Amino acid sequence: MESLFANLALGFGVALSIQNLLYCLLGVLLGTLIGVLPGIGPVATIAMLLPVTFTLNPTSALIMLAGIYYGAQYGGSTTAILVNIPGESSSVVTCLDGYQMARQGRAGPALGIAAIGSFFAGCVATVIIALFAPPLAEVALKFGPAEYFSLMVLGLIAATVLAHGSLIKAIAMVILGLLLGLVGTDVNSGVARFSFGVSELSDGIGFVSVAMGVFGFAEIIANLEQKEKREIFTKKVSNLLPSLQDFKDSWASILRGTALGSFLGILPGGGALLASFAAYTLEKKVSWNSANFGKGAIQGVAAPESANNAGAQTSFIPLLTLGIPSNPVMALMIGAMMIQGIAPGPQVMTERPQLFWGMIASMWVGNLMLVVLNLPMIGMWIKLLMVPYRILYPSILVFCCIGVYSISNSPFDVMQTAAMGVVGYIFVKLECEPAPLILGFILGPLMEENLRRAMLLSRGDALVFFQRPISLTMLVIAGVLLAVVLAPAVRKKREEAFVEA
Amino acid sequence: MKITNGKDFWAGLMFVAFGLAFMWKSQDYAMGTSVRMGPAYFPSVLGGLLAILGAVVLFRAFVSKVDNPLSVFPFKLWRLVIGLALGVAAYYTQPGHGASIALEMGHTILAGVAVGLIFAAFGERSLWVVLFSVVVFGYVLKPLGLVAAVVLLVVISAWGGHEFKYKEVAILSVALAIFSVLAFVKGLGLPMNVWPGLWE
């Protein structure tokens, strides 16, 4: 316990330095901005900024990028409530009741409770990370290659199970991602695989290109295909503080949302999106006010908004302790760490305590900034929402293109991203979820490396994965997950859950 | 047998194609043994798995209860044919070092039109206009500088939307050009030409 306080003190010392405060502020503001704006998410933004983080020191870079992710959760709710469009995919469910509240002239309390719930969830999640990350990292330090391989299998399976849409297609996307991740020079033999003689490809397909093409460009193109229609409740936003009655009505939902969100964030495949969906579904089941859900129940805003913020933050736990990304944003964070020359994994905590604890402390600081800054600034965000998409998307494209170009100062990365945009568009059209692909992409080389080492150590005996207890446990969980989801009854429920939400 | 789910049909075909392609390409590398895996081992296994899963998806397309038409993408054959022809022409007419600027620019435009047409053969206008604007940006940034590249990117991509208002696009492109010069070149110090650097 004492070491916890010492560590947190160290963390706050780092997070409260002027420079880091500034980057934290920049991150959360940028996060809120892109959260408010529909059509651009944290994945595309972080991908866009990755090249820029080259020049920063690692701690500031990661503090800023983390701020974007949880900041986006705050911003996403504003758009959901006022425009009935999710500013962020994790705010989809907030539209249901939040927009109804706005139509009833209660946009203020809806925005207020979303912010307060998010802040509470952010504080709890910060403590959870501080408490659980160190012991988990200690366990992870004992992992051998077999354990790591099984862990990745589990992570990828869980990610597909929790993704929506067809399970088989999701698994196929993971494998396709793994394969694309293998493009480039093989570390063991030095052979440039699947590079077709293109010298740029011998370093592998650029991660930023994949993320930005598949998520950013494909999203813009898909948005352009739909006609935009927006109805904004701007004039009615007054009295941001929820009434005492509102608090009485929603404190239990905030608690439940936070708990569920924190838990789901830790799971591989989890994160903000899953957390908000699950919290809304749960709240609809257990709340005394469930009859009013969909008609402007404040619980239907409080629970998912708390949950998505909690989930966004606790999804850093597997990243910081195991070096395994649980969702595409975390995959990008790994990319950011690698750019800085940090190998993600359990050793980060012991070798770079300032980075580790500084980042955790910055999350709390960032949440405080968000709640203090955002409520007064809501008028400004609303103005931003009035900007039509036909002005937004060329601007987004400009930033994306400059960001991609600056990776290696050559047209190649831009072309690669455009090509990935085509691929991403095809995925959208064929209803193939891109999130599992990006997880596979980042894990491909790691998985191969660990498989090789494990097999070398066991002299080619594949049973090693079943003989080591931790590895076996993880494979069993993965198997059970698959079996459960494939069971007809659950399969139907799962489809319903995603349709309903 | 009738295909009911067109989306699954194409998705399955795509996975099978990718899986087989990776397996086929892996044959160029050493397989190794399970103790000492060569560079071909893991991709071959994964490629095989992907092909099998793709086949399952493909099969499901015939029995699925979900109804999706087979024509997922609008497809215009003649654009593809002309685009490919121009692309081949561009590939074989690459000007060597020391060619005149006019020749090089002409060649770049030829290649650009070819790529644009190939994009335009598939998908809606928004797809190919946006991607074409990105490709143009990538190629003109070095010779023409950031200002021109940003203006081109904004103007072309704006054409892919539903409305194109000349005044708005003009203001937006100038504003973004100024902003990106200030933020990226002056602020972050990215090494980019601001103005045309053709004659350097």
Side-chain angles (χ1 to χ4, degrees):
Chain A
M1 212 53 188
E2 244 168 70
S3 66
L4 176 71
F5 286 119
N7 285 331
L8 278 178
L10 171 76
F12 275 103
V14 175
L16 291 177
S17 74
I18 300 287
Q19 194 200 7
N20 287 337
L21 273 178
L22 274 176
Y23 279 110
C24 187
L25 181 68
L26 191 65
V28 295
L29 278 184
L30 212 57
T32 320
L33 172 72
I34 56 113
V36 168
L37 298 175
I40 177 162
V43 180
T45 314
I46 295 176
M48 209 155 88
L49 285 174
L50 274 187
V52 175
T53 58
F54 266 131
T55 50
L56 302 181
N57 79 55
T59 313
S60 305
L62 288 173
I63 283 178
M64 180 175 80
L65 296 180
I68 292 175
Y69 187 34
Y70 57 79
Q73 311 310 323
Y74 277 79
S77 57
T78 311
T79 317
I81 290 165
L82 294 176
V83 202
N84 201 18
I85 295 174
E88 237 22 87
S89 50
S90 54
S91 309
V92 170
V93 284
T94 312
C95 292
L96 301 174
D97 279 290
Y99 184 66
Q100 291 303 324
M101 282 182 77
R103 293 189 65 176
Q104 293 159 15
R106 291 186 6 101
L111 291 167
I113 206 80
I116 291 163
S118 298
F119 177 67
F120 175 77
C123 296
V124 173
T126 307
V127 175
I128 290 179
I129 299 176
L131 279 177
F132 285 90
L136 212 67
E138 230 155 82
V139 175
L141 276 175
K142 300 194 181 87
F143 279 15
E147 279 81 11
Y148 260 111
F149 181 80
S150 302
L151 178 69
M152 288 183 220
V153 171
L154 171 60
L156 290 174
I157 294 284
T160 58
V161 167
L162 299 174
H164 51 158
S166 155
L167 181 68
I168 299 182
K169 273 156 115 180
I171 297 178
M173 289 295 272
V174 164
I175 297 179
L176 183 55
L178 289 170
L179 281 167
L180 291 177
L182 293 180
V183 172
T185 307
D186 170 40
V187 279
N188 283 28
S189 59
V191 178
R193 287 186 287 187
F194 313 111
S195 63
F196 299 96
V198 180
S199 62
E200 283 93 343
L201 276 182
S202 58
D203 288 336
I205 302 175
F207 177 60
V208 177
S209 298
V210 176
M212 202 181 287
V214 170
F215 285 94
F217 286 5
E219 225 169 65
I220 289 178
I221 295 160
N223 283 336
L224 281 181
E225 281 178 7
Q226 297 156 356
K227 281 256 173 232
E228 68 177 311
K229 53 168 199 293
R230 288 186 200 171
E231 188 190 355
I232 309 177
F233 290 94
T234 48
K235 297 204 179 87
K236 290 172 199 155
V237 184
S238 55
N239 202 4
L240 281 173
L241 268 191
S243 66
L244 204 61
Q245 188 58 40
D246 290 334
F247 274 116
K248 271 189 191 149
D249 286 346
S250 54
W251 68 268
S253 310
I254 293 180
L255 280 184
R256 279 192 291 263
T258 305
L260 190 64
S262 305
F263 174 67
L264 289 176
I266 301 174
L267 293 190
L273 177 64
L274 176 75
S276 64
F277 277 67
Y280 189 80
T281 315
L282 175 80
E283 208 54 32
K284 211 171 159 184
K285 288 242 160 65
V286 298
S287 173
W288 55 268
N289 197 14
S290 58
N292 277 329
F293 267 58
K295 298 176 196 149
I298 196 162
Q299 293 89 345
V301 176
E305 281 306 314
S306 315
N308 68 21
N309 205 38
Q313 274 182 250
T314 52
S315 60
F316 278 89
I317 292 180
L319 171 81
L320 291 172
T321 56
L322 307 170
I324 304 275
S326 53
N327 58 42
V329 177
M330 293 305 121
L332 283 161
M333 296 297 286
I334 287 200
M337 289 169 105
M338 293 208 239
I339 285 179
Q340 298 279 1
I342 304 168
Q347 74 287 349
V348 172
M349 198 186 71
T350 43
E351 282 170 17
R352 291 173 175 267
Q354 293 198 319
L355 174 104
F356 183 87
W357 292 103
M359 203 167 139
I360 290 175
S362 84
M363 289 182 184
W364 189 80
V365 176
N367 270 290
L368 189 65
M369 286 178 180
L370 279 165
V371 86
V372 172
L373 284 177
N374 266 348
L375 287 180
M377 279 170 75
I378 263 178
M380 200 188 98
W381 300 130
I382 293 172
K383 285 227 177 63
L384 262 176
L385 270 176
M386 316 275 255
V387 177
Y389 197 63
R390 63 171 188 276
I391 295 203
L392 269 183
Y393 81 85
S395 321
I396 297 171
L397 276 177
V398 166
F399 299 134
C400 285
C401 287
I402 295 178
V404 173
Y405 191 93
S406 65
I407 298 172
S408 61
N409 251 328
S410 78
F412 181 80
D413 287 296
V414 182
M415 302 307 124
Q416 192 174 244
T417 314
M420 278 301 165
V422 178
V423 175
Y425 176 81
I426 295 173
F427 289 158
V428 172
K429 284 280 160 175
L430 298 180
E431 288 176 359
C432 298
E433 275 287 301
L437 176 104
I438 208 100
L439 292 185
F441 183 78
I442 199 99
L443 286 181
L446 281 174
M447 223 169 155
E448 185 184 34
E449 191 49 35
N450 280 298
L451 176 67
R452 273 176 170 165
R453 277 195 218 149
M455 294 298 266
L456 190 64
L457 288 175
S458 72
R459 304 214 167 102
D461 184 7
L463 283 176
V464 64
F465 297 107
F466 299 98
Q467 283 158 349
R468 304 185 58 134
I470 299 178
S471 162
L472 176 69
T473 318
M474 285 189 272
L475 287 179
V476 167
I477 297 174
V480 169
L481 268 179
L482 265 187
V484 166
V485 175
L486 284 174
V490 181
R491 204 158 101 193
K492 216 170 145 224
K493 262 263 149 50
R494 177 171 167 267
E495 273 156 21
E496 274 170 15
F498 281 114
V499 169
E500 211 179 303
Chain B
M1 286 294 257
K2 203 179 155 304
I3 298 164
T4 52
N5 192 343
K7 289 183 176 178
D8 270 7
F9 176 77
W10 292 114
L13 268 190
M14 176 181 76
F15 290 137
V16 171
F18 267 117
L20 292 181
F22 271 102
M23 278 170 81
W24 177 67
K25 205 56 192 140
S26 295
Q27 288 184 334
D28 297 353
Y29 316 120
M31 193 68 178
T33 61
S34 62
V35 184
R36 285 182 190 281
M37 292 182 186
Y41 200 101
F42 198 50
S44 305
V45 173
L46 287 179
L49 267 175
L50 184 60
I52 293 170
L53 285 175
V56 175
V57 175
L58 197 58
F59 169 75
R60 284 201 325 181
F62 290 91
V63 295
S64 168
K65 290 190 193 85
V66 185
D67 230 351
N68 277 320
L70 200 56
S71 55
V72 181
F73 305 99
F75 178 66
K76 304 202 173 55
L77 183 67
W78 63 268
R79 285 188 186 162
L80 182 68
V81 172
I82 298 176
L84 284 176
L86 287 181
V88 170
Y91 183 80
Y92 284 106
T93 55
Q94 260 170 10
H97 284 288
S100 71
I101 292 164
L103 194 65
E104 258 187 53
M105 281 188 50
H107 180 262
T108 310
I109 291 169
L110 178 68
V113 172
V115 174
L117 276 172
I118 294 172
F119 279 154
F122 308 93
E124 275 106 296
R125 198 181 63 172
S126 59
L127 170 77
W128 57 271
V129 172
V130 167
L131 292 178
F132 185 64
S133 68
V134 170
V135 172
V136 168
F137 175 90
Y139 273 114
V140 302
L141 183 52
K142 202 164 258 170
L144 296 185
L146 186 60
V147 172
V150 167
V151 169
L152 274 173
L153 173 62
V154 172
V155 172
I156 299 177
S157 68
W159 184 50
H162 300 294
E163 288 173 87
F164 188 94
K165 298 184 176 168
Y166 291 93
K167 224 172 137 187
E168 217 177 66
V169 172
I171 297 172
L172 182 66
S173 57
V174 172
L176 280 174
I178 295 172
F179 179 82
S180 20
V181 169
L182 289 181
F184 292 100
V185 180
K186 305 275 181 245
L188 289 167
L190 297 183
M192 287 172 178
N193 288 341
V194 176
W195 301 109
L198 276 175
W199 297 275
E200 276 175 28

